[in-house]
Each structure stands twice: as structure tokens, then as C-alpha cells.
Amino acid sequence: MRLTKQRKLILHILQHTVAHPTATEIYDEVRKKLPNISLGTVYRNLDVLSRQGYVRKIDTCGDQNRFDGVTDDHLHIICTSCGKVRDVEGEIDVCADNIANLASGFKVTGFRFEVLGACQDCQNTF
């Protein structure tokens, strides 16, 4: 894969935020440096970067996927009201070997575990 200036910028944005932005939010940031870029180009580059393992695509409970520049295994907490995503700090004992023992007939190649809840902003609206 060729790391074009668009891909480099998208990757830089994702690696320097903890917000887990949507493609539209990334597009808004990219346009500050590359004003002529299209939203379609951002989507295509995010797809390439996620398929190649440079970024992680997070399928949230909202309408849009969110993206993470941290690709090592870690947990997310997702607000079921607004869709905000944050990393869960600390260790939780979830092990692929333990899951493999429960997944009869499967070879486990990875796993996703997400915590759901209400973020601070949404809690204040109840």
C-alpha cells in the first residue's frame, strides 16, 4: 500500500486523538490542511487503512462507524445515547485461549469486547 499524503494526514489525525472520530469528523479535520479533498476520498482511505491494519474501524451502536488510531488490543466503552467512544483504561482478564476453549470447533483469531453505557454528558440530560 502506498502511503499518500491523504492517508498520512488521516493516519496522523487518528494517532493524535482519543476521540474515536467518525469519517465526517476526520474529513472536517483533513480539510483544514487539504481543502479540496472530498468526503468520498476520506471514506476510501479509511477503508484502505483499516483493511491494512493501520487503523481500527469501530462499529458502534450509532449510525456511523468510528475510527481508532490505536490498533493494539484494547477495550472501548460506547455511549448508547450519543455514540461517543472512549478507551477503557486498565486490564480486564479476557484471554483468547479461554474464549477458544468455549468456542467449540473454532480457531480464535481475535475478539472484540465493548462496554456499553451513558457518557457524562448524556447522564446529565436524564
Side-chain angles (χ1 to χ4, degrees):
M1 177 191 75
R2 202 170 62 116
L3 210 51
T4 64
K5 67 180 177 180
Q6 294 92 343
R7 288 180 188 154
K8 284 181 188 176
L9 183 55
I10 291 167
L11 192 55
H12 176 80
I13 288 167
L14 283 169
Q15 290 176 336
H16 291 90
T17 184
V18 296
H20 303 80
T22 64
T24 304
E25 292 166 339
I26 295 166
Y27 168 70
D28 290 341
E29 286 300 309
V30 170
R31 285 196 60 215
K32 292 176 183 176
K33 301 271 188 192
L34 301 172
N36 294 327
I37 196 167
S38 71
L39 181 58
T41 298
V42 171
Y43 270 107
R44 281 189 297 280
N45 280 293
L46 284 167
D47 185 55
V48 169
L49 288 168
S50 66
R51 280 189 285 115
Q52 294 293 319
Y54 286 92
V55 301
R56 180 179 284 184
K57 187 186 299 187
I58 303 168
D59 183 19
T60 66
C61 42
D63 291 337
Q64 294 187 15
N65 289 324
R66 292 185 173 269
F67 295 87
D68 192 348
V70 179
T71 58
D72 61 337
D73 288 332
H74 64 283
L75 303 177
H76 295 111
I77 187 160
I78 302 169
C79 179
T80 55
S81 182
C82 70
K84 185 183 298 178
V85 178
R86 292 292 182 262
D87 291 336
V88 174
E89 301 296 328
E91 295 288 323
I92 295 180
D93 190 16
V94 178
C95 173
D97 290 337
N98 293 341
I99 294 170
N101 290 334
L102 299 173
S104 174
F106 279 79
K107 177 184 179 198
V108 176
T109 58
F111 58 89
R112 286 185 274 188
F113 179 81
E114 295 169 339
V115 181
L116 305 177
C119 71
Q120 191 69 40
D121 294 335
C122 292
Q123 289 176 44
N124 292 334
T125 62
F126 294 131

